[in-house]
Amino acid sequence: METLIIGIAGGTGSGKSTFTNRLKAYFGDDVTVIYHDNYYRSQEGISLEERRKVNYDHPDALETELLLEHLQMLKRGETVQCPVYDYAQHNRSTEVLEIKPNKIILIEGILLLADARIRELLDIKIFVDADADERILRRIRRDVKERGREIDDIIDQYLATVKPMHELYVQPTKALADIVINSGQNAVAFAVVCSQIEKSLGRGLICM
C-alpha cells in the first residue's frame, strides 16, 4: 500500500489543529492523524513541579526517533503502538493508541520540520503561519479550557521557552515547507491539499 504522509507544522496556536481537523472531518477514516506532542519523552522519576520547568519547546524534549520508527513501520504496513501524552501531568501517560497503516497519514507538530529525518519521510510539508499575538491568545484559551493550566503558568512558560524556542527552532522551518498558509481556515490551501489526497486515494475529486 502506497502511503502519502503529510506534515503540518507551525507555531503554537497558529491554526495547525484547525487545518488538520478540517482534513480529518472531510476524509474521515481515509486519513490517520498522528500528533508529534504524543512523543514527548517520559518524565518519570521527577516531581510534577520539576516537570513543569522542563523546556518542552526544545527538539530534545521529543522522542522523535520513536516517531521516525513508527512512520517507517506504518509505511511497511505494520501497526504501531503510539504513546499518549498527559498535558495535566506533564508526562507520558500509561495509555497507548494503536495506529494501523493507512493510505493517508497526517502528522501535526510545532517542531515537525526541524528534524531532517522526518522531513525526508514527508511527501507534503505544510507550515501554518500566524501573528504572534494571535498565537499566544489561542494558546491561553486552549491551555485553560482543554489542559487545565493556570494563566500565570502559561504566560511564564511562553516567555521562558515558547517564544525564544519558536524564534530559534520553529519559525526557521517555514522556509523548508512546500506550502505556507496564513490560517487554518485558508480555503485555497485546503482545496490544494485535498486535491493531492484525493489523487492519492484514486478518486480524482476536488474539495469544495
Side-chain angles (χ1 to χ4, degrees), residues 106-124:
L106 307 179
I107 316 171
E108 178 195 318
I110 63 173
L111 291 162
L112 199 60
L113 302 184
D115 192 296
R117 300 167 299 174
I118 297 296
R119 292 199 303 271
E120 289 177 3
L121 281 179
L122 299 178
D123 298 294
I124 302 175

Side-chain angles (χ1 to χ4, degrees), residues 16-28:
K16 299 184 303 302
S17 294
T18 297
F19 195 76
T20 301
N21 291 340
R22 289 178 67 199
L23 291 171
K24 178 62 177 175
Y26 189 90
F27 289 101

